[in-house]
mmCIF file of all heavy atoms in Angstrom:
data_model
loop_
_atom_site.group_PDB
_atom_site.id
_atom_site.type_symbol
_atom_site.label_atom_id
_atom_site.label_comp_id
_atom_site.label_asym_id
_atom_site.label_seq_id
_atom_site.Cartn_x
_atom_site.Cartn_y
_atom_site.Cartn_z
ATOM 1 N N SER X 85 180.583 133.322 197.038
ATOM 2 C CA SER X 85 181.144 133.118 195.688
ATOM 3 C C SER X 85 180.600 134.178 194.750
ATOM 4 O O SER X 85 180.046 133.857 193.724
ATOM 5 C CB SER X 85 180.703 131.722 195.193
ATOM 6 O OG SER X 85 181.141 130.661 195.993
ATOM 7 N N LEU X 86 180.845 135.394 195.104
ATOM 8 C CA LEU X 86 180.379 136.537 194.354
ATOM 9 C C LEU X 86 180.887 136.501 192.958
ATOM 10 O O LEU X 86 182.114 136.122 192.678
ATOM 11 C CB LEU X 86 180.679 137.885 194.979
ATOM 12 C CG LEU X 86 179.762 138.226 196.143
ATOM 13 C CD1 LEU X 86 180.453 139.150 197.133
ATOM 14 C CD2 LEU X 86 178.523 138.967 195.509
ATOM 15 N N LYS X 87 180.016 136.880 191.990
ATOM 16 C CA LYS X 87 180.371 137.033 190.548
ATOM 17 C C LYS X 87 180.187 138.427 190.042
ATOM 18 O O LYS X 87 179.415 139.156 190.577
ATOM 19 C CB LYS X 87 179.462 136.037 189.789
ATOM 20 C CG LYS X 87 179.431 134.568 190.230
ATOM 21 C CD LYS X 87 178.402 133.759 189.456
ATOM 22 C CE LYS X 87 178.383 132.319 189.886
ATOM 23 N NZ LYS X 87 177.374 131.501 189.141
ATOM 24 N N PRO X 88 180.858 138.749 188.985
ATOM 25 C CA PRO X 88 180.745 140.129 188.469
ATOM 26 C C PRO X 88 179.237 140.449 188.073
ATOM 27 O O PRO X 88 178.874 141.539 188.240
ATOM 28 C CB PRO X 88 181.571 140.070 187.211
ATOM 29 C CG PRO X 88 182.650 139.125 187.512
ATOM 30 C CD PRO X 88 182.028 138.057 188.345
ATOM 31 N N GLU X 89 178.435 139.418 187.708
ATOM 32 C CA GLU X 89 177.078 139.627 187.381
ATOM 33 C C GLU X 89 176.154 139.897 188.647
ATOM 34 O O GLU X 89 174.993 140.183 188.483
ATOM 35 C CB GLU X 89 176.504 138.569 186.559
ATOM 36 C CG GLU X 89 176.720 137.134 187.112
ATOM 37 C CD GLU X 89 177.976 136.438 186.566
ATOM 38 O OE1 GLU X 89 179.027 137.057 186.352
ATOM 39 O OE2 GLU X 89 177.881 135.231 186.223
ATOM 40 N N ASP X 90 176.737 139.745 189.826
ATOM 41 C CA ASP X 90 176.027 140.084 191.047
ATOM 42 C C ASP X 90 176.084 141.594 191.344
ATOM 43 O O ASP X 90 175.504 142.077 192.240
ATOM 44 C CB ASP X 90 176.573 139.362 192.248
ATOM 45 C CG ASP X 90 176.349 137.851 192.141
ATOM 46 O OD1 ASP X 90 175.302 137.380 191.697
ATOM 47 O OD2 ASP X 90 177.279 137.155 192.540
ATOM 48 N N THR X 91 176.897 142.309 190.500
ATOM 49 C CA THR X 91 177.067 143.787 190.688
ATOM 50 C C THR X 91 175.629 144.439 190.511
ATOM 51 O O THR X 91 174.957 144.250 189.457
ATOM 52 C CB THR X 91 178.041 144.365 189.753
ATOM 53 O OG1 THR X 91 179.330 143.865 190.010
ATOM 54 C CG2 THR X 91 178.031 145.908 189.801
ATOM 55 N N ALA X 92 175.174 145.148 191.559
ATOM 56 C CA ALA X 92 173.896 145.788 191.543
ATOM 57 C C ALA X 92 173.705 146.513 192.868
ATOM 58 O O ALA X 92 174.499 146.406 193.739
ATOM 59 C CB ALA X 92 172.856 144.681 191.479
ATOM 60 N N VAL X 93 172.657 147.382 192.811
ATOM 61 C CA VAL X 93 172.228 147.949 194.139
ATOM 62 C C VAL X 93 171.238 146.912 194.770
ATOM 63 O O VAL X 93 170.340 146.504 194.025
ATOM 64 C CB VAL X 93 171.556 149.294 193.909
ATOM 65 C CG1 VAL X 93 170.951 149.810 195.195
ATOM 66 C CG2 VAL X 93 172.486 150.312 193.238
ATOM 67 N N TYR X 94 171.415 146.576 195.984
ATOM 68 C CA TYR X 94 170.663 145.620 196.683
ATOM 69 C C TYR X 94 169.681 146.315 197.571
ATOM 70 O O TYR X 94 170.094 147.200 198.383
ATOM 71 C CB TYR X 94 171.502 144.650 197.471
ATOM 72 C CG TYR X 94 172.080 143.602 196.552
ATOM 73 C CD1 TYR X 94 173.222 143.964 195.644
ATOM 74 C CD2 TYR X 94 171.679 142.292 196.492
ATOM 75 C CE1 TYR X 94 173.750 143.040 194.879
ATOM 76 C CE2 TYR X 94 172.300 141.418 195.671
ATOM 77 C CZ TYR X 94 173.264 141.757 194.785
ATOM 78 O OH TYR X 94 173.871 140.822 193.981
ATOM 79 N N TYR X 95 168.364 146.033 197.474
ATOM 80 C CA TYR X 95 167.301 146.710 198.271
ATOM 81 C C TYR X 95 166.713 145.673 199.132
ATOM 82 O O TYR X 95 166.328 144.497 198.826
ATOM 83 C CB TYR X 95 166.239 147.274 197.323
ATOM 84 C CG TYR X 95 166.767 148.286 196.306
ATOM 85 C CD1 TYR X 95 167.237 147.952 195.105
ATOM 86 C CD2 TYR X 95 166.717 149.629 196.760
ATOM 87 C CE1 TYR X 95 167.632 148.977 194.246
ATOM 88 C CE2 TYR X 95 167.147 150.694 195.920
ATOM 89 C CZ TYR X 95 167.593 150.293 194.714
ATOM 90 O OH TYR X 95 167.960 151.299 193.790
ATOM 91 N N CYS X 96 166.459 146.195 200.403
ATOM 92 C CA CYS X 96 165.649 145.477 201.325
ATOM 93 C C CYS X 96 164.225 145.961 201.180
ATOM 94 O O CYS X 96 164.002 147.076 200.980
ATOM 95 C CB CYS X 96 166.225 145.814 202.717
ATOM 96 S SG CYS X 96 165.281 145.163 204.109
ATOM 97 N N ALA X 97 163.183 145.025 201.473
ATOM 98 C CA ALA X 97 161.875 145.322 201.341
ATOM 99 C C ALA X 97 160.997 144.552 202.303
ATOM 100 O O ALA X 97 161.358 143.533 202.763
ATOM 101 C CB ALA X 97 161.318 145.115 199.890
#
Side-chain angles (χ1 to χ4, degrees):
S85 302
L86 277 153
K87 304 176 181 180
E89 51 263 44
D90 294 322
T91 294
V93 178
Y94 284 72
Y95 297 92
C96 172

